[in-house]
Amino acid sequence: MKEYRKGPVLLRGRNVPTTSTSERLLDGQHRPDWLHDDPWRVLRIQSEFVEGFGALAELGPAITVFGSARSAPGSWEYEAGVEVGRRLVEEGYAVITGGGPGCMEAANKGASEAGGTSVGLGIELPFEQGVNEHVNLGINFRYFFARKTMFVKYAQGFIALPGGYGTLDELFECLTLVQTRTVRRFPIVLVGTSYWGGLLDWMRDTLAADGKISPTDLELVSVTDDPDEAVARMVALTREDG
């Protein structure tokens, strides 16, 4: 039977909602009832930040790893994720992911099997629930913006395996934060030259060539096919900045 967790509440069967908390927050402001509901949502949002800060405040050095939830075990990107998670732990980092399946699960698996802290920051979605079995420190969020704050606040860098819209969203948010100096230098390494190459070419040949970004902005991200090299770059850059 399908299950759905709404904060501490477990719902099954016909009680499973068809919309998420974030969707309900962002939808329907043309209706007058949002005037009564939204002020109370502020307290729930506040509680998510408090819980996240409390759970992660003593995490120590950590790297956030992103990638597709659709990558199957045995695929090259899944196995690369396992290796990235393992190598990060061996270098003294905790591993933070979105807690889902695919590449996120892979990085959590590598971190957990290496004896490290494997963090999963899950999100309440109608089609995606909970965190994978390799997470040993998990938090489930209702709101994307609270969750996304934790991805950056408690990490010293970002490794992206092949992924879709969610991975691209996090990638460009981190790039924007670094470019605008909202955060100090935040190393970003992409794994998969053939996967990311077209995007990087477009950034160079279109964005930079047309003056929409500076040529130096292209230096904010690097790409490799080797998980060991990705971790080595992360180690060199974070320790250099530290």
Side-chain angles (χ1 to χ4, degrees), residues 28-175:
Q29 293 196 8
H30 58 281
R31 298 193 308 265
D33 59 353
W34 74 271
L35 291 169
H36 307 290
D37 293 340
D38 279 10
W40 290 105
R41 287 193 177 110
V42 171
L43 297 178
R44 184 180 294 161
I45 292 167
Q46 175 181 291
S47 73
E48 292 214 339
F49 281 105
V50 170
E51 290 289 344
F53 294 157
L56 301 175
E58 299 179 1
L59 182 61
I63 302 297
T64 292
V65 181
F66 276 99
S68 176
R70 305 183 185 189
S71 297
S75 63
W76 76 266
E77 64 262 34
Y78 186 98
E79 298 308 317
V82 174
E83 181 66 12
V84 164
R86 181 183 67 81
R87 290 287 295 115
L88 285 171
V89 167
E90 290 175 351
E91 292 291 344
Y93 297 93
V95 172
I96 303 173
T97 79
C103 288
M104 295 175 282
E105 174 188 299
N108 286 133
K109 179 181 179 181
S112 178
E113 290 181 348
T117 301
S118 177
V119 180
L121 306 181
I123 185 69
E124 175 198 305
L125 292 173
F127 54 86
E128 185 177 321
Q129 277 286 294
V131 296
N132 65 69
E133 64 180 349
H134 302 289
V135 168
N136 52 44
L137 174 55
I139 309 170
N140 216 43
F141 290 87
R142 288 185 172 98
Y143 297 101
F144 273 103
F145 50 85
R147 178 192 191 218
K148 289 168 76 172
T149 298
M150 307 303 157
F151 283 138
V152 176
K153 179 174 175 59
Y154 292 103
Q156 281 71 56
F158 176 100
I159 294 178
L161 298 155
Y165 283 159
T167 302
L168 291 171
D169 175 45
E170 297 296 343
L171 169 61
F172 280 101
E173 178 157 349
C174 287
L175 282 170

